Amino acid sequence: MELFIDVILPIPLQKLFTYKITDVEASQLTPGMRVVVPFGKSKLYTAIVENSHQLAPTAYQAKPIYQILDKSPIITKKQLQHWQWIAAYYCCTLGEVMRAALPSALLLESETLVVKNQLFNDESLLTDGEFLIFEALQHQAELKISDISNIIQRKTVVGFIQQMLNKGLIELKESLYQKYKPKLEKYVKLNPKYHNSNALNTFLNDLKKAPKQSALILQFFALNPKGTKTLVANDLLTKAQSSVAVLNALHEKEFFEVFYEPVDRIQNSDETVGLKSLSKTQQVALNHLKKAFLKHDVCLLHGVTSSGKTELYVSLIQEALKQNKQVLFLLPEIALTTQLIIRLRAYFGTSLAVFHSKYSLNERVEVWQNLMGHTEKAQIIIGARSALLLPFSNLGLIIVDEEHENSYKQFEPAPRYHARDAAIVLASIHQAKVVLGSATPSIETYYNAQKNKYALVELSERFGDGLLPKIELINLKETYKKKQMNGFFSNQLLEEIKRALSNQNQIILFQNRRGYAPIMSCTSCGVVPHCPNCDVSLTFHKLKNSLQCHYCGYSEPLVTNCKACGNATLTTQGFGTEQIVAALQELLPEVPIGRMDFDTTRGKYSYQKIINDFQLGNTKILVGTQMLSKGLDFSNVTLVGVLQADSMLNFPDFRAHEHSFQLLQQVAGRSGRSASNGRVVIQTYNPFHQILKQVQAHAYLQMYQEQLSERKQHRYPPFVRLVKIILKHKNAHTLFNASEWLAKSFAITFKDEALGPSDPPIPRIRNLYAKTFLLKFPKNQQLENSKRALLIIKDRFLAISEFKSVRFIIDVDNY
C-alpha cells in the first residue's frame, strides 16, 4: 500500500502537490511539519505537510520527499485554517500566505552551485572570463553564483553560466542551506569529581605555579560557594578579569566542564511594576467594554487622542493572562512599538515578545519557537501586521490599535490582506475577543458599530481632564500676499515656535514628504529630471547630494548643469523634511532639531534613538512625516505645525478626505497631552475646505456622516465591496491589448459592476506599465461566486500566449 502527503509549497501556484512517503516516514510525519521536497528538474524547497492519504496523483508521477526537517509541527491547525481563509478571501495561493507567514530563516531552500566537469580539457575554447572560472574551480570544488559574479565582476551572470554549460566546462548542482542559527551561550560548571573537598584541595595545591588559573577558580567559588551552580562563562571571566585561554586550560585539565546552550537573542527583565489606577471615566469605559463582550466578539473603542486607551488595553491584557490566554497587540507602524514596548514590559516583563521586520530573522524565529513551545516568553505578542500570521494556540484577546491606519493593508506582494479584517477572522477561529481602538475610526468600522455588528465604547475626555488642542488655520495665499512668510513658515507659526521654546516646551512639525525637494527643474528649458524606470520626477536629497526615486530606489548624483540645455540653472520646487530641518537650523541655530522619516529610520534601533532623544528633551523640535502622527506620547509637546495640508486633500482616491481628516486629527493629538493646553497651526491654501473646518472643530461625527452620504451616492464601501484588478507589463502595446480583452470579458460577466481600464496615477513603475480595473459588488451579493468567476477569467486570460507574461494582480478590498 503506497502512502502520500499533500504539501504546501512557497510558490504562487493554486494547488497542493502530492509526494510519496515510506511507512517509516508516515509514522514520523504529522500535518504542520516541514519537509524538503524536489520540485521541477533540480530545485529543492521547504514544504508544509497539509494532510496524508493513499490516493496517488493522476496527472503526474509522485516523487519521494527529500528530508523531514521537524520532530513536531511548526504550524498549528488553527493557523492553517486562518491561512486557508486568507488565501480564499484575498484570491491568492496558500504558498504565498506560507511565504509571508514563515520567517525566511525557516524556509530552507536549495542554492545552485557550480562544479567543474571532470571530462572537460580543451582550454582553448575558453574566453577570458571563462578561464578565470576554470582556474578558480581548480582550487575550489564548487562555486556559488555570487562567487562567479564577483570573479568576473558582473551583476547578472545567467547568460555567462549558460555559455559555460553549453561548452561542457561546468555542471550545476543544488545544495541545501540552513538560514537559522540559534544563539549559543557558553556555560561553566565544576566537574562532579571535585565536589569532594580532598580532590579539590589536591588540585589547588598542584596549581601553585599557575596563579591565573587559581584566581579564576577562586572567583568561581566566590560567585558559587557550594560549587553546584552553572555560571555563564562571560560573566565569570569578566568578574575574574581573566581570559578564555585560562578557562580553556582548566577545561583541558578536566577541572571545569564547558558546554553551550541555546538562548533567546532578546532578553527581557522580569522586574515589573503595578498597573496604574484608572480614572473614573476610564473605569466606566472598561466596565462597558467587559459588558459589551458578553454580546459581541468585536468592540470599537472610540477614544479621543490622549484619553488613555492604552491603560484600558493593559487592564484587558491582564485579565486575559489570568485566564491563561495569549494576547496579540497589533500596531500600524514599527515606530509605535518603541514607546509601547517600554510601557508593556514595565507591566508584564518577560511575558512580552516583539515581532516585526526590524528584528533579525533569527530573532523572529525564536518568537515563533516560543509560541509553538507555549513558553511564558510569548504570552503577549506585540508587532506590525505580520505578527497576525504567527502560530497562536490559545489566543484570548486581539488589540488592533489605530485600526483606521492603511498601514494595516498589505499591497505588495501577495497575500494582499488587511490585518484588521484578518484579525477579526483569526479571533473567530480562536473564539477570542477583539478591541479596535482609534480616535478617528475608519468609516467602515464606525458604520459596523452603528449597525450593531460591533459593540461601541466611547472615551470623549482626555485623561486628567486635559483639553483638546486649539487648532488654527493659516491662509497661505493671504500670508504670501502680505509678505508674512519666512521661508516655509508663516509669521504666526514662527511666533508660536519661539513662544513654545521660551516656555521650555517641545514642537512637532509635520510635512508628508521626505527628502529635500520633490522636484528639481531647469529655469532655462523647464526640463525636470525623471526616473528612467518610473514615470515620476526624481526627489533631491541634499545630504547625499543625489536625485532619488522613491518608488524603485534608482539614484543618480546631482550635477550642477542641466542635462538637456547645459545651463547651470537648476532649482528646487516644493520642500520635504530635509529642507525644513535645514531652514530651521538657519532660523534657530542654537536649537537641537531632529528628523523622523523613512531616511532616518532604516536602522534597527533608529526609531528608538530618535524617540528617546525627543522624550529626554535632547531634541527640541522634531520634523517628520506621517509616522509622527500615530499614537506617540510626548508630554512636553505643546505645539504641532502642519506645513502644507493641501497635497493630502487632492489625492485621487475615494478615501482622500477621510485620510486627511484622520492624519491631521492624529498629528494634532500629539499636542497638549499633559496639563498644558496644546496648539496646532495648519498652513493651507484652502482654509475654507470642509475637511479642514471639521478638523478644526474636532468634528469626527460630522465628517463621518458627510463621507457616508457621498459614498452611498457614488457606490463605495461600506455599501459595496471593491476588487481592484491590476495588469502590468514592460510593453505598453501588449498591455493595451490585454486590457482591451479583459474589458470585454468583464463587460460580459460583470456588466456595469466593472469599471476600467484606466491608467493609475503613476502609469509606469520599475519599467512595468500598468492598467487598472475596479469591480464593485453589492453587499448583498455572494462575493465567493464573483471571485470564482474572476478566477476563471484570469485562467482564460493567462492561457492566451500573447498575455502569458502579463502580471494579473487581484486586490480584494484594495482600500
Side-chain angles (χ1 to χ4, degrees):
M1 180 179 64
E2 287 191 308
L3 299 172
F4 301 92
I5 54 170
D6 290 336
V7 301
I8 306 166
L9 282 165
I11 52 179
L13 293 174
Q14 285 290 347
K15 60 180 183 177
L16 301 176
F17 290 87
T18 304
Y19 287 83
K20 188 164 57 176
I21 56 171
T22 64
D23 291 342
V24 175
E25 288 168 340
S27 66
Q28 296 172 350
L29 282 171
T30 55
M33 289 173 63
R34 290 179 305 159
V35 290
V36 178
V37 296
F39 189 77
K41 289 184 179 178
S42 59
K43 278 286 181 185
L44 297 171
Y45 282 103
T46 301
I48 297 287
V49 178
E50 205 261 0
N51 64 70
S52 57
H53 55 84
Q54 297 170 15
L55 299 173
T58 55
Y60 55 90
Q61 185 73 32
K63 296 178 182 179
I65 66 170
Y66 184 84
Q67 186 180 345
I68 298 173
L69 292 176
D70 303 308
K71 292 180 180 177
S72 59
I74 67 153
I75 69 166
T76 67
K77 287 181 181 178
K78 290 180 178 179
Q79 186 183 18
L80 183 57
Q81 188 181 342
H82 191 228
W83 287 8
Q84 288 166 336
W85 177 85
I86 290 174
Y89 185 81
Y90 291 102
C91 294
C92 63
T93 67
L94 262 177
E96 288 170 320
V97 182
M98 172 189 167
R99 185 169 280 281
L102 283 179
S104 57
L106 293 177
L107 285 170
L108 201 70
E109 292 182 3
S110 61
E111 182 174 57
T112 303
L113 298 175
V114 173
V115 296
K116 182 187 171 189
N117 182 352
Q118 298 301 328
L119 300 176
F120 182 84
N121 53 19
D122 191 355
E123 296 179 23
S124 63
L125 297 173
L126 303 180
T127 64
D128 291 346
E130 290 166 350
F131 185 77
L132 289 173
I133 302 303
F134 179 78
E135 203 170 44
L137 287 170
Q138 305 278 38
H139 300 94
Q140 285 179 253
E142 54 195 30
L143 294 173
K144 295 178 184 176
I145 301 297
S146 56
D147 296 333
I148 291 176
S149 181
N150 291 334
I151 290 169
I152 64 171
Q153 296 184 341
R154 280 195 211 171
K155 286 185 179 179
T156 55
V157 293
V158 176
F160 180 79
I161 289 170
Q162 189 60 51
Q163 288 174 13
M164 292 192 290
L165 279 170
N166 294 341
K167 291 180 180 179
L169 168 62
I170 59 167
E171 293 175 345
L172 301 181
K173 74 171 189 177
E174 296 293 321
S175 174
L176 281 173
Y177 62 101
Q178 178 76 44
K179 296 177 186 174
Y180 172 65
K181 291 182 180 178
K183 181 182 179 182
L184 299 175
E185 188 80 79
K186 192 175 184 179
Y187 291 94
V188 178
K189 69 177 182 180
L190 186 65
N191 190 322
K193 71 180 181 183
Y194 292 109
H195 288 171
N196 180 293
S197 56
N198 292 331
L200 180 61
N201 290 332
T202 303
F203 185 85
L204 290 172
N205 286 333
D206 293 340
L207 284 182
K208 287 180 180 177
K209 292 184 180 179
K212 290 183 180 179
Q213 293 177 29
S214 297
L216 185 58
I217 292 170
L218 289 173
Q219 185 61 53
F220 177 84
F221 282 105
L223 297 170
N224 180 14
K226 293 183 179 179
T228 53
K229 293 181 181 177
T230 300
L231 301 181
V232 177
N234 280 340
D235 293 348
L236 173 62
L237 294 176
T238 302
K239 292 278 186 184
Q241 297 182 340
S242 190
S243 67
V244 175
V246 177
L247 178 61
N248 288 343
L250 289 168
H251 175 50
E252 287 172 11
K253 292 177 181 178
E254 298 185 354
F255 181 79
F256 282 141
E257 290 182 1
V258 177
F259 59 97
Y260 292 85
E261 290 283 346
V263 294
D264 282 358
R265 285 172 166 80
I266 298 172
Q267 301 289 332
N268 291 342
S269 168
D270 55 4
E271 294 180 12
T272 58
V273 298
L275 270 61
K276 290 181 182 177
S277 57
L278 300 178
S279 69
K280 189 181 287 185
T281 309
Q282 285 175 319
Q283 190 61 55
V284 168
L286 181 61
N287 294 339
H288 285 167
L289 269 169
K290 291 177 183 177
K291 192 175 178 182
F293 281 143
L294 297 175
K295 292 183 179 179
H296 294 83
D297 292 329
V298 183
C299 182
L300 169 61
L301 178 59
H302 180 201
V304 297
T305 54
S306 194
S307 58
K309 293 186 290 293
T310 304
E311 297 308 322
L312 296 187
Y313 299 152
V314 168
S315 298
L316 292 171
I317 290 169
Q318 189 181 47
E319 291 207 5
L321 295 182
K322 283 178 182 175
Q323 297 168 21
N324 245 0
K325 297 285 188 179
Q326 294 169 323
V327 178
L328 172 61
F329 199 133
L330 288 176
L331 291 163
E333 287 274 0
I334 296 168
L336 286 186
T337 61
T338 303
Q339 276 192 328
L340 195 62
I341 289 165
I342 295 167
R343 290 172 74 176
L344 293 185
R345 277 187 179 151
Y347 295 136
F348 302 111
T350 55
S351 298
L352 183 74
V354 185
F355 189 90
H356 58 64
S357 59
K358 290 289 184 192
Y359 276 61
S360 71
L361 289 175
N362 290 328
E363 287 165 347
R364 280 180 271 166
V365 170
E366 284 163 8
V367 172
W368 190 288
Q369 290 173 339
N370 285 334
L371 271 170
M372 285 303 300
H374 311 290
T375 68
E376 289 185 11
K377 296 175 183 175
Q379 287 295 100
I380 308 164
I381 301 295
I382 181 170
R385 61 175 180 260
S386 57
L388 186 76
L389 303 172
L390 286 167
F392 297 100
S393 55
N394 190 25
L395 197 57
L397 175 67
I398 300 179
I399 297 165
V400 185
D401 196 23
E402 309 295 351
E403 66 80 28
H404 63 277
E405 282 292 341
N406 67 345
S407 306
Y408 281 124
K409 170 68 177 175
Q410 165 81 4
F411 289 102
E412 195 69 33
R416 296 173 178 84
Y417 66 101
H418 197 296
R420 177 197 61 216
D421 300 339
I424 292 169
V425 175
L426 180 65
S428 174
I429 291 169
H430 285 266
Q431 296 183 325
K433 303 298 182 184
V434 182
V435 179
L436 306 176
S438 178
T440 53
S442 68
I443 284 171
E444 296 79 22
T445 300
Y446 201 77
Y447 179 80
N448 284 332
Q450 293 292 311
K451 292 292 180 182
N452 205 34
K453 185 178 178 182
Y454 303 158
L456 175 63
V457 174
E458 301 200 87
L459 265 173
S460 54
E461 298 175 8
R462 280 191 152 189
F463 182 77
D465 298 323
L467 298 175
L468 287 169
K470 184 181 177 183
I471 300 175
E472 184 179 356
L473 300 176
I474 304 296
N475 189 335
L476 287 176
K477 284 182 184 175
E478 292 295 320
T479 49
Y480 273 113
K481 195 182 290 182
K482 294 176 181 177
K483 298 184 178 178
Q484 293 174 348
M485 292 292 292
N486 194 329
F488 315 114
F489 311 99
S490 60
N491 289 350
Q492 295 101 308
L493 179 55
L494 267 179
E495 285 170 17
E496 292 289 350
I497 289 172
K498 289 172 182 175
R499 185 181 296 120
L501 290 172
S502 66
N503 292 332
Q504 301 300 307
N505 295 130
Q506 292 171 293
I507 300 112
I508 285 176
L509 295 178
F510 171 75
Q511 169 66 0
N512 209 19
R513 279 190 181 276
R514 62 188 175 99
Y516 189 84
I519 295 173
M520 176 75 71
S521 65
C522 176
T523 54
S524 297
C525 65
V527 166
V528 174
H530 273 68
C531 174
N533 309 315
C534 312
D535 288 340
V536 292
S537 59
L538 294 171
T539 300
F540 175 45
H541 287 250
K542 192 171 185 179
L543 196 65
K544 295 180 180 178
N545 198 39
S546 65
L547 297 171
Q548 295 179 18
C549 174
H550 289 172
Y551 288 88
C552 71
Y554 171 82
S555 176
E556 63 179 48
L558 178 70
V559 292
T560 52
N561 290 33
C562 172
K563 288 184 178 180
C565 67
N567 292 323
T569 50
L570 290 174
T571 186
T572 60
Q573 292 180 27
F575 56 94
T577 51
E578 198 180 331
Q579 191 170 175
I580 293 165
V581 170
L584 279 171
Q585 285 169 340
E586 284 187 20
L587 291 168
L588 306 164
E590 304 300 318
V591 178
I593 300 162
R595 177 161 63 99
M596 188 173 178
D597 55 27
F598 183 77
D599 298 319
T600 61
T601 54
R602 292 176 190 268
K604 181 176 178 179
Y605 299 109
S606 49
Y607 288 104
Q608 195 169 329
K609 186 179 185 309
I610 293 166
I611 289 169
N612 285 351
D613 280 348
F614 195 59
Q615 206 152 22
L616 294 170
N618 299 332
T619 305
K620 293 296 181 185
I621 302 175
L622 186 57
V623 179
T625 55
Q626 63 178 1
M627 61 177 66
L628 270 180
S629 68
K630 302 170 185 176
L632 294 170
D633 187 2
F634 302 113
S635 59
N636 198 34
V637 172
T638 57
L639 175 65
V640 167
V642 179
L643 297 184
Q644 200 175 74
D646 305 284
S647 58
M648 296 177 285
L649 292 165
N650 300 324
F651 196 75
D653 181 74
F654 78 94
R655 293 190 75 184
H657 287 178
E658 179 195 359
H659 281 159
S660 298
F661 179 90
Q662 288 165 340
L663 193 55
L664 292 171
Q665 195 69 40
Q666 289 283 343
V667 77
R670 301 315 106 207
S671 176
R673 296 174 74 90
S674 61
S676 304
N677 291 338
R679 291 184 67 81
V680 180
V681 176
I682 299 176
Q683 297 185 161
T684 172
Y685 286 97
N686 188 4
F688 307 107
H689 196 290
Q690 188 63 24
I691 285 292
L692 295 181
K693 289 294 183 184
Q694 288 162 358
V695 169
Q696 189 175 30
H698 304 283
Y700 171 81
L701 203 57
Q702 187 185 343
M703 182 278 297
Y704 164 77
Q705 289 165 344
E706 281 189 9
Q707 293 300 308
L708 198 68
S709 174
E710 283 187 22
R711 292 192 190 183
K712 190 172 185 178
Q713 183 182 349
H714 299 291
R715 295 183 68 239
Y716 278 104
F719 302 102
V720 297
R721 294 181 181 275
L722 291 187
V723 178
K724 189 176 186 180
I725 311 300
I726 307 161
L727 299 183
K728 291 185 178 182
H729 197 265
K730 59 185 178 183
N731 185 291
H733 181 69
T734 302
L735 185 68
F736 176 80
N737 291 340
S739 61
E740 288 298 304
W741 185 96
L742 197 58
K744 291 173 186 174
S745 294
F746 283 167
I748 294 166
T749 308
F750 301 121
K751 299 181 174 58
D752 60 350
E753 291 174 350
L755 302 174
S758 61
D759 289 321
I762 302 170
R764 182 178 61 109
I765 294 177
R766 297 178 186 270
N767 276 324
L768 291 174
Y769 294 92
K771 292 281 184 184
T772 62
F773 295 83
L774 201 60
L775 305 180
K776 291 183 175 182
F777 299 121
K779 262 293 180 71
N780 57 4
Q781 182 178 312
Q782 282 290 330
L783 190 60
E784 287 73 17
N785 296 334
S786 302
K787 287 191 285 192
R788 201 175 296 117
L790 176 58
L791 290 172
I792 290 169
I793 292 172
K794 179 183 178 181
D795 291 340
R796 288 175 183 166
F797 175 87
L798 294 175
I800 299 169
S801 58
E802 186 188 355
F803 304 149
K804 273 185 179 177
S805 57
V806 177
R807 281 192 68 195
F808 190 113
I809 297 166
I810 301 173
D811 191 355
V812 179
D813 298 342
N814 62 294
Y815 49 90

